[in-house]
Amino acid sequence: MSDPRGDSQIDVDQLDSRELQAPPGGPGSQASRKIARGSGGLTRLVVWTLLAAAVVGTGAFLVLRPRAKARNSALATADVTRGPLVISVIEGGEVEAEQRKTISNSLTWPVVIKTVVPEGTTVHEGDTIIEFECKELMDAISTQKITVTGAENAYTAARENLVLKKKELDNKVQKAEQAVLDAQENLRRYKEGQATIDENEARSAVLLAEGDIALAKEKLAFKKKANANPELNNPYSQNEIQSDELSVARLELSLTKAKTSLEMLQKYDHARELRKLNIAVNDAQLELERAKLEARTQLLVSEAEEQAKKATLDMQKGKLDDYLEDEKKLVVKAEKTGLVVYDTGSRGWSGSDVVVDVGQRINPRQQLMIIPDMTTLQIKTKVYEAIIDQVAAGQEAFVRMDARPDLTLKGTVHRVGVLPASQNRWLSPNVKIFDVVVRLDDPKTLDGLKPGMTSKVELVLARLENVLSVPVAAVFTEQDRTFVWRAKNGSQERVPVQVGRMNESRVIITSGLTEGEKVLLAPQEAQQEVAEDEGEGEASGENDARSEERRV
């Protein structure tokens, strides 16, 4: 599988020459010569990481290829400019139809192709695409019609015999229903009458006991208070006090007994009586159910034959309906406008070849063709996971068809894959690629497009305004430091910079430079080394340059 990101590679040699300037008298070949040899610190200046954050932000590659033929050219410079910058990525794409209809032999019998339209034909709604013949199906329809007629006669006879035993069974059921009503009335009588009376008597006993003990305690407290008053000189004897205390104790025992009786009534006696009455109701209801069940059982003897005949008739009718529905499938018509594409679903060694032609015998469930809906054509491209977070539905996209390179079509990102493409998981398990679908904004631009056509898709990730930028070839890295060589008054100086996002040709400078300054595409040290090696042969220089090619 070809690398879908191959079109995003950046070659400094292909930079727009209008962005570059060469100072008069500068030996430009020395800089590239220095980078190509790469024996010291400047070897690392080749932009192999080229601003790691910027590379991740765009998913592009930077390739520095020193030009051996540039020995005698001036050292190139570029302006530091401020203005708008478009962040985009270009990937390969393919036209596909979002909606398609698959045509196959959907019958359970083999068929023979009677007529079929040629591949590549544009069909419209109602047009016949393919017609089959199936002798086995037509014979099955004739036999099934005879079977359905016999099933209808048998069902009619069974239905006329189903009028027996309902009156005698109804009487038995009515007696059982009356027994249920009597048991339910007994239960209601206890709940609404006797249970309430018993509970009220127990509550009254508790209230009386509570009143007696309250009076006795009040009387005892009064006597104790009188004896405690020295002025009264103990009007009540100790025996009277003890007698009253015993009375209070007896009354407390009576109160406890009354409360216990009430509690026993509420907790046990009342519940036990309710259970007895409920069981009586349940027994009556069970007898009623038994009577109804016996009635249904006896009726089932007569109903069984009628239901069996009815089920047989329904089954045979359903089978006939299926055959008649299959007969309609012998002629396949177009549901909407589309392009006929033969596709038998064969995958190399898996399965024998199937020929779509008149007279060919087609096995059941065999796929024959697909009909893409030409009004739903869209472009599918693939994007690496390094930039997938920057791609979102609704972003701008521009499509250039390989068959029409002079035409650029405007589109919009419609859908971004949630998971990596399944096909790529097997071919390159360590490379994660996500599907991105682009829809063209103008439906008229679909004219002339066909499924499978290839294209280049430019996804616009961002449109930035008023940003400071330089060509990507002007930025160097050494270890974790990023810098440029600034040209000023005939000399150059190394300037640390902070960078932001980048596109295929330019990178944003967030700090370190100002608008209008000039930067070199190679440092002075590279220029000096080129001067020392001017005597070397042309072929040797080109081999050195190729061997020291660096990628970021």
Side-chain angles (χ1 to χ4, degrees), residues 1 44 71 128 132 141 151 170-171 184 195 214 319 321 360 364 413-414 467-469 490 549 551:
M1 185 181 73
R44 295 186 297 271
R71 294 176 180 277
T128 298
F132 301 106
I141 291 176
D170 287 344
N171 184 46
Q184 290 174 341
K319 194 172 183 180
D321 291 340
Q360 293 294 323
V413 175
H414 172 62
V467 294
L468 201 66
S469 65
E549 182 178 279
R551 289 193 178 189

Side-chain angles (χ1 to χ4, degrees), residues 230-250:
E231 297 179 356
L232 298 179
N233 194 21
N234 294 327
Y236 301 103
S237 66
Q238 188 65 26
N239 290 335
E240 289 181 85
I241 297 298
Q242 291 177 352
S243 177
D244 290 343
E245 289 176 346
L246 290 174
S247 297
V248 169
R250 283 193 296 271

Side-chain angles (χ1 to χ4, degrees), residues 9-35:
Q9 180 173 328
I10 303 169
D11 193 333
V12 173
D13 295 344
Q14 298 174 358
L15 291 176
D16 192 341
S17 61
R18 291 174 296 180
E19 298 178 352
L20 306 179
Q21 297 181 8
S29 61
Q30 294 183 9
S32 57
R33 184 66 174 168
K34 176 66 176 179
I35 296 173

Side-chain angles (χ1 to χ4, degrees), residues 9 112 123 213 269 349 426:
Q9 180 173 328
V112 176
V123 293
I213 195 172
D269 298 346
W349 63 85
W426 294 98

Side-chain angles (χ1 to χ4, degrees), residues 175-237:
K175 289 182 178 179
E177 289 175 344
Q178 184 60 45
V180 171
L181 292 176
D182 294 341
Q184 290 174 341
E185 287 180 356
N186 292 335
L187 177 61
R188 285 196 300 271
R189 178 181 178 184
Y190 176 76
K191 287 182 177 180
E192 298 173 1
Q194 189 61 42
T196 303
I197 293 173
D198 294 344
E199 186 172 351
N200 288 339
E201 290 179 352
R203 290 182 183 278
S204 298
V206 172
L207 292 175
L208 291 174
E210 290 175 344
D212 291 342
I213 195 172
L215 292 175
K217 286 182 177 181
E218 183 178 355
K219 181 179 179 181
L220 176 60
F222 175 79
K223 290 181 178 181
K224 287 182 177 181
K225 184 177 180 181
N227 286 347
N229 191 342
E231 297 179 356
L232 298 179
N233 194 21
N234 294 327
Y236 301 103
S237 66

